Amino acid sequence: MSKTEVVVYANTELLAAAAAARLVTKLVDVQAAKGSASLVLTGGGTGIAVLEQLRDSAARDAIDWSRLDVYWGDERFVPADSDDRNEKQAREALLDHVPLDPARVHAMAPSDGEFGDDPEAAAAAYAEVLAKNAQPEDHGDVPSFDITLLGLGGEGHTASVFPESPAVHETERTVVAVRNCPKPPPTRISLTLPTIRRSHDVWLMTGGEAKADAVALALSGAGEVQLPVAGARGQRRTLWLLDRAAAGKLTKVYRPPIS
């Protein structure tokens, strides 16, 4: 049965360091149990800060990086060398500093890649990547990701699934092109909410007072059409890692001790 946990840290720096430490422990445990692990990355300030903390951690070598599959929850559909690109930020923060198997790093196509400026084709190709990597025990065309890292916006978006958008209504496709995003860049590629929910663990990481309303609404049962982050849930666990400001409007039911 899936469970929801909330952990609050004093500030975003402590949050990122703690998330990195948790990530080492979780990936090591998964690899010990089944040999390999899969991780879905997110962009944004907190997501990249976690990768930087992991890069600088003495414990990072406990992970067998050659037995890790890396995916992305969403990507800005920009040229490969754009500083806006989640993949570029992740490589600079961590991926270029650890001995990953390049064949197991599954990036979404850039706007100057093999599909040109066609985000629908790029999204369809990423859906094929997911289907190819799904195993019989996954019972579908998406891998059962071990951990999916996500952030959220103040209006409640997660990955690049925005409130009231076509993507939030998608139930058939596993990956979609997203156009006319309300924040730049306007064109993106994103996993859909049903795909995200194929993850064993979903970790939602955010900080700042601007996120407090969305956090409180999501944890009080808001609907995913109006607040997509409310639909980002793990099969086994949904873990909210927050700083004190982002947790500021939680009720006593959900407010845990400050770590």
Side-chain angles (χ1 to χ4, degrees), residues 74 151-163 183 188 214 227-229:
D74 72 325
L152 63 142
E155 81 300 299
H157 86 269
T158 193
S160 284
V161 181
F162 287 83
K183 58 184 292 187
R188 306 180 182 203
L227 197 81
V229 70

Side-chain angles (χ1 to χ4, degrees), residues 108-200:
M108 294 177 173
S111 63
D112 57 352
E114 62 179 306
F115 306 104
D117 194 20
D118 185 346
E120 283 79 15
Y126 206 69
E128 291 179 7
V129 169
L130 298 185
K132 180 180 178 181
N133 284 277
Q135 302 299 312
E137 59 267 25
D138 296 324
H139 304 294
D141 51 4
V142 176
S144 297
F145 308 116
D146 292 303
I147 308 170
T148 292
L149 305 179
L150 293 170
L152 63 142
E155 81 300 299
H157 86 269
T158 193
S160 284
V161 181
F162 287 83
E164 305 284 357
S165 67
V168 81
H169 296 281
E170 183 63 55
T171 59
E172 298 297 326
R173 290 177 292 176
T174 58
V175 187
V176 292
V178 181
R179 295 181 181 269
N180 303 312
C181 288
K183 58 184 292 187
T187 306
R188 306 180 182 203
I189 302 168
S190 183
L191 304 187
T192 60
L193 291 178
T195 303
I196 289 169
R197 289 194 287 264
R198 297 298 300 275
S199 308
H200 294 311

